[in-house]
Amino acid sequence: MNYHLPFMLFCFFVTQTIFAEPKQPVELHISAPVWPGFTNADSTGAYVDLFRFIYPKDQIELTWHLTNYSRAIALVQQGKHHLVPGLSAPVSPQQHKALLLSAYPFDSDLIVAIYNPSHTATPELSQLQQYKLAWDLAYDLHLVLGLKEKGYEVPDIKQGLELVKNRRVDIYLAEKSELLQYLQGESPVKLQPLIYRELLRDPIYLGFADNDEGRKFKRLWDQRFIDLYKSGQLKTFYRNYPQLTLPKLD
């Protein structure tokens, strides 16, 4: 009887285990526009760092696809990518735009009204329907603000401000952090003679693809987000990013 055979087989399986290829991280495809300070063109920014913090590096590899917001949403709706950040939930906190929303908001948008005080009276939230409005493509601010009709949709902040300066619209609605990042960018832009007024805060969520992969990434995000919130680590992280607002989950 060959007593060496079991030992040799043991050594073989141990060797195979030691030299086995390490398990590769799962690739998570994220669609997003270029939001200066949040999702920069060079794959840096507050959202980029937050996602790296939430998703374990040894399990998840983040791949960013930067495009306009409308296309970013469409790619996730079609299941070509897994998630898109920055959705509000004006109707349902579970689903919006046929996407699965994160269980909790991860930030909030401070919506401001930009106008020329020489031509437009100080806008009140309850009176916005009286004005000609504009906002960025796919933002759906009419739902957030309770307006019956959409405003004129523009591709970026630059065109929105030009429309107000040229009196094509009365008010351009924007997110305050985005506006300030634009005004203070590499080529600073003057807002004058326009001014802005803060209107309201809108909690924003992640939108995941409504498929098996999207649901798996959503479950992991939701669990990690609440665990890191309860441990205090999320609060510490947000302190380093003044452009982010940590929601209260208590």
Side-chain angles (χ1 to χ4, degrees), residues 26-241:
V26 177
E27 200 168 7
L28 168 57
H29 292 272
I30 305 169
S31 281
V34 173
W35 284 317
F38 297 87
T39 52
N40 299 320
D42 61 354
S43 295
T44 62
Y47 286 172
V48 177
D49 292 346
L50 175 62
F51 287 18
R52 285 176 180 155
F53 182 66
I54 297 289
Y55 283 113
K57 294 180 181 179
D58 59 335
Q59 298 179 33
I60 308 294
E61 179 183 346
L62 305 181
T63 300
W64 289 83
H65 304 271
L66 299 176
T67 182
N68 66 67
Y69 192 42
S70 181
R71 178 167 169 74
I73 292 172
L75 287 168
V76 180
Q77 288 172 329
Q78 296 162 11
K80 295 180 179 178
H81 295 157
H82 299 119
L83 75 84
V84 55
L87 274 75
S88 62
V91 179
S92 167
Q94 284 78 42
Q95 192 169 45
H96 182 49
K97 292 181 178 288
L99 300 174
L100 304 175
L101 298 188
S102 53
Y104 311 99
F106 73 99
D107 196 8
S108 66
D109 285 346
L110 180 53
I111 308 301
V112 298
I114 304 161
Y115 63 102
N116 189 330
S118 298
H119 307 135
T120 304
T122 304
E124 300 291 341
L125 188 59
S126 60
Q127 299 173 343
L128 287 179
Q129 69 273 6
Q130 301 176 8
Y131 298 99
K132 291 181 181 178
L133 305 174
W135 56 73
D136 286 4
L137 187 68
Y139 272 44
D140 286 349
L141 290 183
H142 60 298
L143 299 177
V144 175
L145 298 169
L147 304 175
K148 294 180 180 179
E149 299 179 356
K150 276 190 174 185
Y152 182 73
E153 294 186 313
V154 300
D156 51 39
I157 291 178
K158 179 182 179 181
Q159 185 172 341
L161 297 181
E162 287 177 352
L163 288 176
V164 180
K165 289 179 178 179
N166 295 329
R167 303 186 69 177
R168 298 283 302 279
V169 299
D170 301 314
I171 296 170
Y172 169 61
L173 300 172
E175 201 284 317
K176 184 178 179 180
S177 294
E178 290 181 49
L179 173 66
L180 296 181
Q181 289 282 346
Y182 172 76
L183 296 176
Q184 300 163 7
E186 294 182 2
S187 301
V189 178
K190 289 185 178 180
L191 187 61
Q192 292 83 0
L194 310 183
I195 61 174
Y196 67 80
R197 183 182 189 186
E198 297 177 357
L199 295 178
L200 84 166
R201 280 200 172 274
D202 178 37
I204 60 171
Y205 299 73
L206 299 182
F208 294 84
D210 191 0
N211 55 31
D212 288 342
E213 288 185 325
R215 281 186 281 274
K216 289 177 184 177
F217 287 124
K218 170 178 156 52
R219 281 195 297 270
L220 181 56
W221 172 278
D222 289 342
Q223 187 58 56
R224 288 273 296 165
F225 195 87
I226 194 65
D227 288 347
L228 292 168
Y229 183 91
K230 290 179 178 178
S231 71
Q233 295 179 68
L234 209 53
K235 186 176 182 179
T236 301
F237 176 91
Y238 273 69
R239 268 200 213 105
N240 297 319
Y241 296 87

Side-chain angles (χ1 to χ4, degrees), residues 2-15:
N2 188 349
Y3 293 100
H4 296 289
L5 183 58
F7 178 75
M8 292 174 64
L9 289 173
F10 173 78
C11 291
F12 172 80
F13 286 120
V14 169
T15 303

